[in-house]
Amino acid sequence: MQTTADLPSSSYSDSAAELVAVLFAVTDFSARVLTIHDGSLLPFGPLKPVHHSLQAGARTWVHQQTGQPLGYIEQLYTFVDMKRSHHNGQAVINISYLGLVKETAESGLTLEAKWQDWYEYFPWEDSRRPQHAHILNQLILPMQNWVDAAPNQEIRNQRQQRLNLCWGINGQHWIAENALLRYELMYETGLIAESPYYDNQLPPQLTGLPMQFNHRRILATAVSRLRAKLQYRPVIFDLMPPQFTLYQLQRSIEVLNGVELHKQNFRRLVNNQQLVVATGETMVAERGRPAQLYRFNENVLQESLLSGYRLPLIGNHI
C-alpha cells in the first residue's frame, strides 16, 4: 500500500490546466472505473491550444492514452490542486469530466490503462456487503474521537451532526450520493493516505486504495454525481447493453448505488414509469428459466418527458 510519503506532495506540471476523465462502466455487475499508472491515477493530460473545446480535448487524449472509446460525457467539476504547481508557480487546475462507457476488453486498451472496481477505493460505500457494518464501525470510532476532541460544545455538536448525516447513524439514513461528503470527512480526520493528517492507524481493507494527486477526491465527486443523476435522469441506459433482463437492470443499479432494492417494488415502478419495452425475446437465466428481454423506451430519453422522471433507487431500499 502507498503511504503519504509515496504520494507526491509537490510536483510540477507542464500545464497550469489539466483535463481529468472519470470513465465508468458496469461489467458483470461490478462498478468499474478506468485508471492508469497501476490504478493510482485517472486518465489525465494537459489542456492544449489545439483543442477547439474542453470536451473535444478530453475525448482526444483519453482515447490516445487509454484506447477506450467514449460515449456519454459531461463536465464534472473544476479542482485546484494546491499540492502541485506549474513551472511559473501557479497551482494546477484540474478540469474533470464524467464519462459513461461500455468496458473495452483489456486487449483493446493501452498497456497503461486498467479497469478497477471502484469499491477498491471506497470499500465503505457498498452497503450490500456482509462486512459493511463492521467497516463502518471501524471507521466511525476514530471519527467519533475527532468529534469528542472538539475545542468547545458548539463545534462538537456541529461535528456530531456532520458525522451523523454523512454516515447515516444516530437516527439518520444512509444516503448513497453522499459519497464525496464521506470521503472529505475521512480526509479531514486523517483516515486516508492522501490526508496530511494520515497516521496509518487503519488497514487498507477499510480505507481503500489511495490515488496520486487529488484523483481519489475527483473520483468520489464523480461517484456522488452519478448516484445523484440516477435519481432523475435515465443515465443507466448508457451503461447497459441494448437488450437486458429486469434482473440485470436491477443488479446494475444496485452496484452503482451500493444498496439492495426490493425486487417486486423495483419491477412495478419500472413498469409503471414505462422505462422499458419488452422485445419479445428471452434468454436463459442462471437457473435455466427463460427471462424476458427488454430495451429502454426511447421516449424517456426525450427532455420533454423528463420533468417527472425518477428512477426507484434509494428511499428505504425499496
Side-chain angles (χ1 to χ4, degrees):
M1 172 185 174
Q2 287 177 300
T3 65
T4 307
D6 299 315
L7 298 170
S9 59
S10 178
S11 58
Y12 288 102
S13 170
D14 292 333
S15 174
E18 294 178 346
L19 302 178
V20 182
V22 187
L23 304 185
F24 287 146
V26 176
T27 305
D28 297 329
F29 306 126
S30 172
R32 312 275 279 173
V33 59
L34 189 62
T35 65
I36 60 173
H37 199 60
D38 198 29
S40 67
L41 289 168
L42 298 167
F44 75 104
L47 176 64
K48 297 181 179 180
V50 296
H51 298 144
H52 66 274
S53 72
L54 294 176
Q55 187 173 118
R59 287 183 178 278
T60 298
W61 59 252
V62 167
H63 189 266
Q64 292 175 345
Q65 190 175 68
T66 69
Q68 171 66 52
L70 291 183
Y72 175 89
I73 186 172
E74 68 174 57
Q75 190 167 341
L76 179 61
Y77 201 73
T78 299
F79 301 84
V80 179
D81 190 346
M82 300 302 296
K83 293 183 179 180
R84 302 171 62 220
S85 61
H86 186 248
H87 290 290
N88 63 9
Q90 291 181 310
V92 174
I93 303 297
N94 296 140
I95 304 168
S96 60
Y97 278 84
L98 168 63
L100 305 180
V101 301
K102 306 294 192 300
E103 180 175 337
T104 300
E106 296 294 338
S107 59
L109 299 178
T110 63
L111 293 178
E112 191 178 16
K114 178 182 180 182
W115 284 99
Q116 298 272 94
D117 187 312
W118 80 30
Y119 292 115
E120 293 180 8
Y121 301 99
F122 312 111
W124 59 87
E125 286 295 330
D126 192 355
S127 65
R128 304 166 305 152
R129 295 181 177 181
Q131 65 271 34
H132 186 249
H134 172 72
I135 292 175
L136 291 194
N137 288 336
Q138 296 299 307
L139 293 177
I140 290 172
L141 179 59
M143 285 188 279
Q144 188 64 58
N145 294 336
W146 168 76
V147 170
D148 296 338
N152 58 60
Q153 188 61 41
E154 181 180 1
I155 295 177
R156 185 187 186 282
N157 291 341
Q158 291 173 350
R159 289 183 176 184
Q160 186 66 63
Q161 184 177 25
R162 183 180 172 195
L163 181 62
N164 295 345
L165 292 171
C166 284
W167 293 88
I169 61 174
N170 296 326
Q172 300 297 324
H173 293 293
W174 175 269
I175 300 177
E177 56 262 43
N178 282 350
L180 176 60
L181 299 180
R182 287 186 282 271
Y183 173 82
E184 291 187 331
L185 186 52
M186 291 183 65
Y187 182 97
E188 187 173 338
T189 54
L191 295 183
I192 54 176
E194 293 91 333
S195 171
Y197 316 111
Y198 181 61
D199 58 9
N200 199 24
Q201 61 178 302
L202 295 175
Q205 292 88 341
L206 299 176
T207 60
L209 298 177
M211 301 187 83
Q212 296 186 62
F213 308 148
N214 62 345
H215 282 202
R216 188 154 54 145
R217 182 170 184 254
I218 296 174
L219 177 55
T221 304
V223 171
S224 285
R225 168 73 68 85
L226 178 60
R227 287 178 169 181
K229 208 171 185 66
L230 282 167
Q231 297 293 318
Y232 64 91
R233 289 288 301 274
V235 291
I236 186 66
F237 297 6
D238 294 288
L239 296 168
M240 298 293 294
Q243 297 186 28
F244 48 85
T245 67
L246 292 182
Y247 171 79
Q248 291 172 328
L249 178 61
Q250 179 176 336
R251 285 287 305 277
S252 297
I253 293 175
E254 287 176 336
V255 73
L256 292 172
N257 282 283
V259 300
E260 291 184 349
L261 306 176
H262 187 278
K263 177 181 176 181
Q264 296 306 322
N265 287 351
F266 173 81
R267 295 191 175 197
R268 181 173 61 254
L269 288 170
V270 167
N271 288 327
N272 288 346
Q273 295 179 52
Q274 300 180 330
L275 299 178
V276 298
V277 176
T279 66
E281 301 179 27
T282 61
M283 66 173 293
V284 177
E286 294 179 359
R287 298 183 179 180
R289 299 178 60 184
Q292 176 70 56
L293 285 171
Y294 293 83
R295 61 174 175 80
F296 287 111
N297 185 351
E298 294 296 330
N299 289 334
V300 303
L301 297 177
Q302 303 299 316
E303 290 291 334
S304 61
L305 300 181
L306 286 175
S307 59
Y309 177 89
R310 184 176 179 84
L311 266 177
L313 300 181
I314 316 300
N316 299 323
H317 296 202
I318 59 173

